[in-house]
Every structure is written in structure tokens, then in C-alpha cells.
Amino acid sequence: NVKKFFEKNSLHYSNCISPGEWTVPSFNSIFTGQSPSEHGFYDLKYSSSIKNIIPENNLFSLLRKNNFHTFGIIKSKGHNQNYEVHSFFDRYLFYEDIPNKTDNDDDKFISRTIDNLEVHKNNKNFTFIHFMKTHSPYYLPSYYEERYLSNNRISDPDEEFNKSKIGTGDTKIEVHLDEKRFNNEIRLRQKIRLKRVDMILGQLFDYINKNFNKKCLTILTADHGLPHGIKQSNILNDNWINIPFKINLSNIEDYEFREYKNFVSTTDIFNLTKYLVTNENNKNLIYPFNESISEKDNFAISESIFNKIY
């Protein structure tokens, strides 16, 4: 479904770099166009002392000023109501992420999104959907996933994951796993979970194609990669920070399918959206939107922000 939806009028960036190494700072970089060291929201304990978790110059404020109805579904613990994040949305749904209890909440997200878009079909709409199903390999499988998993696995995914650990890297969430166990059972679990998400997203893509086939921008990306795998010596390795970044322009611009290898970051989403929404001349755009630069001119920055390491 993802492949089919993004095969026309789409741009693929194979070298998109996450600005940070975990969810909270990475999301705020998407929302503000700033790196974690700029927006300062990189640690939950430190962030509790910050009055404005998301700076006023953010993606949601920009869109609301341009008469967009803003809707968000978020499972990031650092973007709940206690941080006043809901004030930036016209409609905001927060789902707590509790392994083995809320694992199938993601299945509800598409129906909630379609309901919202249908009600506001005559408005300009912005929708932000955060899926957690692929986040960790120790969540309980759905019926669909259960059907395709190996019979050799441990039935408790959390126990399977813990028995595969052989150590950690610079942070407790950079978990190093036994290579044989990882490649056999846990990697298979991740792949099947991605197939499940692809199936769910197909419902949304079908709705968009039938109802919003003109002037619609769809971006598929991630907050960060998975720090689960075999032991690696570099803290910011490709598995951690190299993330998908696909843009479907759907008649906003006349682009055929193109794949670019230049470095980009999800911090670029803010300026790109501002350019497409307001038509303001903005030189801080990724190739090919900025014609004054070449494909080789772009660069991206990722920051390690744990254990006093920068």
C-alpha cells in the first residue's frame, strides 16, 4: 500500500537523518524545524521546568494561522496534555503507550482520522498521526501478526526480547541483541508488524485518493530508527538515525516518482510546509524545491543527547 501510494507524484529521500535519537526531541524537531539543542526539549526531567514545551513558532500555529483545521493523534509520552500540547490542535487525541495493554490502539487511528476528515471535508485540513506498533519488538502481536510468526518463538514477546539481550550501548534504550535471535525471531516480528501497519495505512490512502486527490500533501516518516540489534561501536549508527522520508504531492506539483540520495532531515518539514502553504520565498528548502542549490549541497545534522554526550 505504501509503495503504490507513493509511486506517483512522489519524492523519496533514502538518506533522511533523524535529528535526535529518541521520540520526544525528534518530534519537536519536526514541529519546529529546529535541532534538539536549539529547541531544548530533549529530556523529560529537564523539560518539566520549561514553560513552553513547543515554541510558539511551530508547525501547528503556522497552519492554524492559514485557516487549517488541525487534528492530531499522538502516543508520545512527552507530548501529552500535561505539557499543554493539546492547545496547538483544534482536535487532539492522546493514547497512552503501555506495552501489553494498549498494543492494538493503533488500529483505531485510521477510523478516527477518516471520521475527522469527513466532518471537515470542506475545510483545509492538517492531520498528524503517530503509530507506535512498529516501535518495539516486545509488544503483543495482533491476530494478523500471530498468523505469520514463527512457531519457534517464545510466546511472550517481552520475555523473548529480554532473553535476547547481550548488553547496552551508551544508553539503556540502545539494546544489543544476540545476532542469531535477532535475525531469526525479532527481525521477523518487526517485518510482520510493518506489514500490518501497511495494511492499516492502505485504508487511509484509499480514502485520500477518493476524496482529496487534488492539492494534498502526504508525508511518511519516522521519529528515529530502532536502537535494537547487534552490538555496534558507533553511537549514532545508521540503524538508529536513518529513517524513511516519502512525500506524495498529489497534483500540488508536477513531479514524477523520483528518488534522491542527498541528505535531508525531518527538520526540513517545517520550512517545506511553510513554503507550500504560504507560497513565501524560502531559501531554506531541500532539493529540488530550492532551485538555487544542487542535489549535493544538502546536509543534515543528528545529535546524541544522552549521558552528557553531544
Side-chain angles (χ1 to χ4, degrees):
N1 291 305
V2 169
K3 182 178 180 181
K4 183 177 180 181
F5 183 75
F6 287 94
E7 68 183 359
K8 295 181 180 179
N9 294 321
S10 297
L11 309 178
H12 296 225
Y13 294 90
S14 58
N15 285 314
C16 180
I17 302 302
S18 171
E21 56 199 329
W22 71 296
T23 304
V24 171
S26 298
F27 269 6
N28 260 38
S29 291
I30 293 175
F31 301 157
T32 65
Q34 298 177 330
S35 66
S37 59
E38 289 178 296
H39 60 62
F41 190 28
Y42 51 81
D43 176 82
L44 288 176
K45 291 182 180 179
Y46 175 72
S47 301
S48 64
S49 64
I50 300 177
K51 184 176 181 180
N52 296 313
I53 295 300
I54 302 180
E56 187 58 34
N57 184 28
N58 61 70
L59 186 64
F60 314 120
S61 298
L62 167 70
L63 290 159
R64 291 176 77 175
K65 287 177 183 178
N66 286 273
N67 301 314
F68 277 76
H69 178 271
T70 55
F71 170 64
I73 297 178
I74 294 180
K75 292 192 80 171
S76 165
K77 62 184 178 182
H79 293 92
N80 61 53
Q81 296 91 324
N82 292 323
Y83 290 106
E84 299 293 325
V85 176
H86 60 288
S87 64
F88 292 105
F89 292 90
D90 293 307
R91 187 177 176 215
Y92 164 93
L93 303 177
F94 177 78
Y95 288 81
E96 191 172 4
D97 181 46
I98 308 174
N100 300 331
K101 290 186 177 180
T102 63
D103 302 344
N104 292 322
D105 278 352
D106 291 26
D107 295 358
K108 308 172 187 175
F109 293 177
I110 297 303
S111 62
R112 300 286 191 276
T113 301
I114 291 176
D115 280 348
N116 186 80
L117 290 173
E118 190 67 24
V119 170
H120 299 281
K121 189 180 290 187
N122 295 325
N123 298 84
K124 294 189 293 184
N125 286 281
F126 169 79
T127 300
F128 181 85
I129 316 172
H130 171 212
F131 290 93
M132 284 285 283
K133 189 173 286 291
T134 61
H135 192 273
S136 298
Y138 43 78
Y139 287 177
L140 285 175
S142 66
Y143 172 76
Y144 171 86
E145 295 160 352
E146 186 76 32
R147 171 66 179 80
Y148 295 101
L149 288 172
S150 167
N151 292 327
N152 297 322
R153 75 189 191 283
I154 299 174
S155 58
D156 183 340
D158 190 39
E159 182 183 354
E160 178 183 64
F161 182 72
N162 287 324
K163 284 189 174 182
S164 301
K165 292 180 181 178
I166 58 174
T168 57
D170 291 276
T171 79
K172 64 180 180 180
I173 66 171
E174 185 189 1
V175 181
H176 299 148
L177 304 176
D178 177 84
E179 187 171 0
K180 184 176 180 181
R181 285 178 178 267
F182 175 71
N183 285 329
N184 290 344
E185 306 302 329
I186 296 178
R187 187 175 292 278
L188 175 62
R189 186 185 295 277
Q190 292 174 338
K191 289 180 178 179
I192 295 171
R193 191 146 292 164
L194 281 169
K195 289 183 179 181
R196 172 66 177 169
V197 173
D198 178 79
M199 185 171 69
I200 296 171
L201 283 172
Q203 301 171 31
L204 178 62
F205 296 155
D206 183 61
Y207 176 81
I208 290 174
N209 282 331
K210 290 178 178 177
N211 296 277
F212 296 92
N213 63 337
K214 292 184 178 180
K215 294 188 176 180
C216 183
L217 174 70
T218 307
I219 296 176
L220 177 72
T221 188
D223 46 356
H224 57 79
L226 282 176
H228 306 142
I230 61 175
K231 187 173 179 62
Q232 299 190 46
S233 59
N234 298 319
I235 179 172
L236 290 179
N237 56 72
D238 287 345
N239 288 337
W240 192 308
I241 63 174
N242 192 198
I243 55 177
F245 190 43
K246 302 175 186 290
I247 305 174
N248 181 300
L249 293 136
S250 189
N251 296 332
I252 292 181
E253 300 283 355
D254 185 22
Y255 288 109
E256 293 297 325
F257 169 85
R258 297 181 187 178
E259 183 168 0
Y260 297 106
K261 297 185 181 300
N262 53 294
F263 287 97
V264 298
S265 169
T266 49
T267 56
D268 295 312
I269 292 175
F270 181 84
N271 283 327
L272 176 60
T273 305
K274 185 175 182 180
Y275 166 72
L276 293 172
V277 168
T278 65
N279 292 320
E280 292 182 13
N281 184 22
N282 191 333
K283 295 182 179 179
N284 297 317
L285 296 173
I286 55 177
Y287 182 85
F289 296 96
N290 187 345
E291 297 179 353
S292 66
I293 62 174
S294 69
E295 185 176 351
K296 297 180 180 180
D297 287 336
N298 287 169
F299 65 93
I301 296 175
S302 184
E303 298 177 331
S304 177
I305 49 186
F306 280 114
N307 295 347
K308 299 180 181 179
I309 297 174
Y310 251 107

